[in-house]
Amino acid sequence: MHAMQYELTLPAGYDMGVVRDRVARRGHLLDDWDGLGLKAYLIRERGLRGSPVNQYAPFYLWNTVDGMNAFLWEGGFQGVCDDFGRPPVRQWTGLAYEEGGASHARFAVRRRQPVPDGGTLADAVADVVDETRRLAVQDGALLAAAAVDTSRWELVRFSLWEHDTPKADGEVFEVLHLSAPGRDLLPRGRRW
C-alpha cells in the first residue's frame, strides 16, 4: 500500500463551490481506476472546523505502484495540473490499514508528525499500528491507515468518518466524493 496526497491551498476569498462543482463533474472518473484502493476528494474551508485555509487536498491509498504511476504519468493527474498548476505530490509507504464499521465517509482526519527520536524505529511504528487499530473500531469510523515517508521521517495518519465529530486528532477535511475501486484489496493490518 502506498499513500499519496497533494494540497492546493487557495486564496482566502476563493469560491470553494468551484472545487465542489469540479468534483461533482469529475470525481467519478477514478471510480474504476486500476490499482487504486481509494481516493478521498477532500476540502477544507477557511473558518470551518478550525481550518486556517481554503484547500483542496485529495488523499489516495494505492494497491499498486503501476496504478499510481499510470495516474501521475498517463493523464489522471494532468487535469489537476491543467486547472491549478503542478503541485508537489507527497508519497508515503504504508504501515497499517484497518476497516471500520461505518458505511460511508463524510469527514476525514489527517495528522502528520515526525517519527519520534529516541527508542527504536520498531517501537515508534508499533504505536502507529496500534493507533490505527484503535481508530478503526471507534463509532463512526469507516477506515484508518498509517504510512511513513522515510526521506523526511514523517508519519501520516489518515481516517475516514461518517459523522462530523471524529475521534481522531489532526486536520479535519470534508469528503466530497470517495472513489474506492480497490478498497477491498487494501491489505489489512500491519504491512511488514
Side-chain angles (χ1 to χ4, degrees):
M1 177 183 77
H2 301 276
M4 184 179 94
Q5 187 176 41
Y6 48 89
E7 299 172 326
L8 302 165
T9 301
L10 303 162
Y14 190 83
D15 178 5
M16 293 302 285
V18 172
V19 175
R20 289 175 184 282
D21 290 344
R22 182 181 196 281
V23 171
R25 285 189 330 275
R26 300 171 89 174
H28 71 280
L29 296 175
L30 292 182
D31 286 352
D32 62 356
W33 193 276
D34 190 38
L36 177 63
L38 65 88
K39 175 182 180 178
Y41 295 76
L42 306 179
I43 64 168
R44 294 194 298 165
E45 293 187 69
R46 185 176 182 201
L48 295 178
R49 290 177 277 288
S51 178
V53 296
N54 287 327
Q55 194 171 64
Y56 176 49
F59 194 94
Y60 303 74
L61 294 176
W62 293 96
N63 285 317
T64 70
V65 172
D66 290 348
M68 181 174 64
N69 284 340
F71 173 77
L72 289 169
W73 310 122
E74 293 181 356
F77 184 61
Q78 189 62 49
V80 171
C81 296
D82 292 345
D83 292 348
F84 297 102
R86 184 174 38 184
V89 179
R90 300 289 312 276
Q91 295 181 29
W92 299 267
T93 303
L95 292 172
Y97 176 81
E98 298 289 347
E99 285 281 323
S103 60
H104 64 281
R106 291 182 48 229
F107 294 92
V109 177
R110 181 204 61 200
R111 186 169 100 199
R112 294 183 304 208
Q113 71 181 78
V115 173
D117 288 329
T120 68
L121 291 173
D123 288 343
V125 295
D127 290 343
V128 173
V129 170
D130 290 344
E131 183 182 2
T132 303
R133 284 189 205 111
R134 182 190 62 76
L135 286 175
V137 300
Q138 296 296 316
D139 181 49
L142 180 67
L143 60 87
V148 63
D149 173 349
T150 55
S151 72
R152 295 177 185 220
W153 291 108
E154 178 187 69
L155 297 167
V156 63
R157 294 168 172 91
F158 180 75
S159 51
L160 292 174
W161 301 84
E162 69 180 359
H163 53 70
D164 63 355
T165 55
K167 295 180 178 146
D169 294 327
E171 297 162 309
V172 178
F173 296 82
E174 181 181 354
V175 178
L176 299 182
H177 180 74
L178 184 65
S179 292
R183 182 175 147 204
D184 59 329
L185 301 175
L186 288 167
R188 308 300 192 271
R190 189 179 84 161
R191 300 308 321 132
W192 73 95

